Amino acid sequence: MSEYERRLAAAKAELDSVGLKAPRMIPGMPFLLRMLGESPRPWPYLPLHLRLLAYGIPFALINFVVNVLWHWASFRQDPTIILAMSLIAIPLFTLLMGFLERMRWCRKGLSRWEEL
């Protein structure tokens, strides 16, 4: 059994012992994690910066598209307002999701991936 398989089994056993169920990974996530130099692992054991990116990047794209569509519609906005709204909304949303992640997973007393 490789080191990765041992850690994965220990992580799943720890999640079961605490009574948590990690969300399933989206289909392309293991490939993306390998591209970033990380090993695919259950969601609570991913580094916090990767979990924040998983929330921040889609929100940034959606926020950008909505602002651009509003700009093209009859609701005209100054482009600097669109930029300012995005620069404020994206970090606030990401910090909020980070706080919720911390409340959801970090208070459960789970070990770090490196400690398994």
Side-chain angles (χ1 to χ4, degrees):
M1 181 182 272
S2 70
E3 181 73 19
Y4 169 74
E5 291 170 344
R6 185 190 62 76
R7 283 183 176 174
L8 187 60
K12 288 181 180 179
E14 186 176 41
L15 285 173
D16 288 340
S17 70
V18 177
L20 296 174
K21 185 175 182 181
R24 292 179 50 209
M25 282 193 181
I26 58 173
M29 185 64 78
F31 175 72
L32 291 173
L33 286 172
R34 285 190 202 99
M35 280 181 41
L36 293 172
E38 297 284 340
S39 57
R41 46 184 117 159
W43 183 258
Y45 295 98
L46 285 174
L48 185 61
H49 68 279
L50 289 178
R51 289 186 278 166
L52 292 179
L53 282 175
Y55 289 117
I57 292 174
F59 179 77
L61 293 174
I62 291 169
N63 188 8
F64 176 74
V65 167
V66 166
N67 281 323
V68 166
L69 290 177
W70 275 0
H71 183 70
W72 284 343
S74 61
F75 183 70
R76 294 285 177 187
Q77 286 183 337
D78 184 23
T80 56
I81 293 175
I82 294 174
L83 180 64
M85 284 175 29
S86 297
L87 291 177
I88 292 170
I90 294 167
L92 284 177
F93 176 78
T94 305
L95 286 174
L96 173 68
M97 294 311 294
F99 176 71
L100 292 174
E101 280 287 311
R102 184 159 175 79
M103 286 181 52
R104 183 176 181 193
W105 299 110
C106 296
R107 290 188 178 179
K108 302 295 183 184
L110 297 174
S111 304
R112 295 179 61 220
W113 180 258
E114 294 79 19
E115 296 171 354
L116 293 174

